[in-house]
Every structure is written in C-alpha cells, then in structure tokens.
Amino acid sequence: MRSSEPTLTDECVPLIELQKLVDRCLGKLELVDKLINRFKGSLQDSSEQLQQAMDLRNFVELAQGAHRLRGEAANLNATRIAKLALKLETAAREEDDRASQVCLNELIEASDQFEMEVRPFSMTPKVEERFRRPRYKGF
C-alpha cells in the first residue's frame, strides 16, 4: 500500500485536539473560537479549490493546496485533517490519480465531520468550565 492511501487508523486520529489548542492560546477561549471559525471558512474554500484541481487533474495545484491546508490544520491542532492533507499532497506529487481522489474524498468527509464536531463549541458556561485554565495565584 502506498503511503498516500488512507488507512483505517485515520479514523482513530482525532479531528481536533481542543485542549491542546486551548493551551496554545493560553486559555483564551475567545481566541480559540475565532481561530476555529476562521479555519472553518478556510476549510470550505480549500475543499472547493482542491476539488477543482482534482477535476482538472492539476496535480501541482492539488499538491500545493493540500500543503497549505496541512499547515493551517496543524496550526489549529486539527490532526486528522492535517494527516489526510499530507496523504493527499503525497499522492498529488506522485500524480497518482486514484489515490489522490480517494484521499480528497476522505479529506472532504473529515472536513464535514470537523464542522459537526466544532459546531457546539461556543462561549457557553459549560465550555468555559471545561477549558478554563486555573489562574496562578502566587505563593
């Protein structure tokens, strides 16, 4: 099996590691919410651009778009999307039509799942209680 072909273990990788993202944002949930919403918009645009590149069999554009998406996803701790984008990038660089389409399909499915998973993330007391970091009170 080529490295660009998806495996069952992809589903075991979390879509987003929220706690890590919250920690990277130093507990600022407003920033987390802003980053997630910005990524959701970018994810939609990227999915459309990647599909267009795939339809045209433009493997250079497909690889570049997947590379860009992988970086954005990694910065957000959207682990599964980053991993699938890497597989798509690899398949596109190899100009493997079949593997590229399979990877793109899985990436689009993961993008839809990401939308569903982060939809309930909002500034509610329940979310704040779950992710607020305790404040340092000194000695």
Side-chain angles (χ1 to χ4, degrees):
M1 181 183 311
R2 288 185 176 167
S3 63
S4 58
E5 291 184 10
T7 64
L8 292 176
T9 59
D10 290 337
E11 293 181 6
C12 299
V13 176
L15 280 168
I16 185 168
E17 297 177 76
L18 275 174
Q19 187 60 58
K20 284 184 179 180
L21 179 59
V22 169
D23 291 345
R24 287 180 69 199
C25 292
L26 303 175
K28 297 179 181 175
L29 297 182
E30 297 81 10
L31 178 58
V32 171
D33 193 46
K34 182 178 179 179
L35 292 173
I36 287 173
N37 285 321
R38 186 178 298 160
F39 181 70
K40 285 181 356 185
S42 177
L43 189 57
Q44 179 66 36
D45 292 342
S46 293
S47 295
E48 291 170 8
Q49 291 169 357
L50 291 170
Q51 186 62 61
Q52 288 174 350
M54 186 71 226
D55 291 345
L56 296 172
R57 301 304 187 253
N58 184 338
F59 292 107
V60 172
E61 189 176 318
L62 188 62
Q64 290 172 346
H67 180 80
R68 224 177 359 263
L69 179 59
R70 178 172 57 109
E72 291 175 13
N75 283 332
L76 195 75
N77 290 91
T79 312
R80 187 180 316 161
I81 292 172
K83 183 176 180 179
L84 290 170
L86 174 60
K87 287 184 176 193
L88 176 57
E89 180 183 357
T90 302
R93 290 195 192 286
E94 294 171 355
E95 296 189 9
D96 186 333
D97 188 51
R98 185 182 133 320
S100 293
Q101 187 63 62
V102 169
C103 290
L104 180 58
N105 291 344
E106 286 213 354
L107 183 59
I108 290 171
E109 183 179 323
S111 298
D112 292 343
Q113 291 172 353
F114 178 86
E115 284 277 340
M116 299 292 284
E117 187 163 314
V118 298
R119 184 172 290 150
F121 187 87
S122 63
M123 299 309 300
T124 63
K126 183 178 179 182
V127 170
E128 287 191 31
E129 181 180 307
R130 178 177 172 199
F131 291 107
R132 281 279 180 224
R133 296 173 72 189
R135 302 240 184 243
Y136 176 72
K137 296 183 181 183
F139 292 98

